Amino acid sequence: MDNLTFRYRVLLVEGLQITHQTSQLTFIFLLITYVFTIVSNIGILIQISAEKSLHQPMHILFCHLPVSDVIGATVLIPRLLKDLLTDPSERYITYVECVFQAFFGHLYGTTSHTILMIGLSVRLSHCKSFISNHCCDNASLFKLSCENTVINNVYGLTFTVVLLTSSLGWVLMTYLKIAMVCLKSRNKATNSKAIKTCSTHLTVYVILLISGFVPIFLHRFSEYAENRKFGSVMFHVIPPGLNPIIYGLQVKEIRQRMLKLCRNS
């Protein structure tokens, strides 16, 4: 067991199986998306930090989202860009780097729900050195093992179901309470603002759930490997790219500050 634990210190990542021309277009798209994600999210953080009028609980809570998005994009896209420029036979990654990528990938995926689930896979010995995925995640790590991984599959799926159910439950309960308050209130302006805010939150939440659940589900079906990879990439691209637009422009104070900066420049 001990000899197998660190049998392979360097692993080969399968990456995205796409043509050379498609690889170039994918590289350009991911690069532009990554730059936009980093600039826009850091820009929102700077605006909130620099503007005293934004030092309020609601806006401070918004800081969580940009930080999470920066982590989510950075944990995957730079490495993926490097792999797109590298020959498939040379896409190596150390086991330690793979564990860190998987850890921070799942940290991003579950940080909004305050739960991490990477312990179970690290305990396994691994007898394979090929990662049949474009990046490291929890499922990719336990697939390196020749041991029985039923508990990992059961835990992963159970965790996903419990997380999804509890998350949906809290969201549903929260919005029911908001709806009840709106029904009792006769203030049209307040109701309009509440509906606008709730619709924005729900849009982001639905996008995050769909883009996150698809790769988790497809990891259990090898015949959909490529679909799973693209689904995972979109999970690290779509929410971080859309959140600054949806949240940043929806918050009046941040929107006015950004427009003021654009006019001054």
Side-chain angles (χ1 to χ4, degrees), residues 167-181:
S167 177
L168 286 173
W170 280 109
V171 170
L172 181 61
M173 185 173 67
T174 301
Y175 284 104
L176 282 175
K177 288 185 176 181
I178 293 174
M180 291 174 64
V181 172

Side-chain angles (χ1 to χ4, degrees), residues 146-185:
C146 292
E147 298 180 48
N148 190 328
T149 59
V150 172
I151 187 173
N152 296 76
N153 265 308
V154 171
Y155 178 81
L157 290 174
T158 303
F159 168 83
T160 302
V161 172
V162 172
L163 178 64
L164 184 64
T165 304
S166 60
S167 177
L168 286 173
W170 280 109
V171 170
L172 181 61
M173 185 173 67
T174 301
Y175 284 104
L176 282 175
K177 288 185 176 181
I178 293 174
M180 291 174 64
V181 172
C182 289
L183 290 173
K184 293 179 181 179
S185 174

Side-chain angles (χ1 to χ4, degrees), residues 7-50:
R7 181 175 179 180
Y8 295 106
R9 295 181 181 274
V10 178
L11 310 172
L12 180 63
V13 182
E14 182 180 39
L16 298 176
Q17 296 182 334
I18 54 180
T19 63
H20 180 67
Q21 292 180 336
T22 306
S23 177
Q24 292 178 330
L25 293 175
T26 304
F27 180 89
I28 296 172
F29 169 73
L30 290 178
L31 180 61
I32 293 174
T33 303
Y34 180 67
V35 171
F36 172 77
T37 298
I38 298 301
V39 171
S40 58
N41 280 291
I42 291 180
I44 289 177
L45 284 174
I46 293 175
Q47 292 304 314
I48 294 175
S49 301

Side-chain angles (χ1 to χ4, degrees), residues 25 44 84 91-92 95 100 114 120 131 152 159 177 240 251:
L25 293 175
I44 289 177
L84 286 172
R91 294 171 180 169
Y92 293 110
Y95 182 73
F100 271 101
T114 66
L120 282 175
I131 298 175
N152 296 76
F159 168 83
K177 288 185 176 181
V251 179

Side-chain angles (χ1 to χ4, degrees), residues 67-125:
V67 171
S68 176
D69 288 340
V70 168
I71 293 175
T74 302
V75 75
L76 172 70
I77 298 180
R79 173 75 198 192
L80 192 57
L81 290 173
K82 177 178 177 293
D83 286 345
L84 286 172
L85 298 178
T86 306
D87 187 89
S89 62
E90 299 295 328
R91 294 171 180 169
Y92 293 110
I93 186 172
T94 66
Y95 182 73
V96 174
E97 290 174 333
C98 190
V99 169
F100 271 101
Q101 188 183 43
F103 175 81
F104 283 104
H106 288 287
L107 174 63
Y108 162 67
T110 59
T111 188
S112 299
H113 309 281
T114 66
I115 300 175
L116 301 175
M117 70 172 200
I118 200 65
L120 282 175
S121 294
V122 177
R123 70 176 178 83
L124 295 171
S125 63

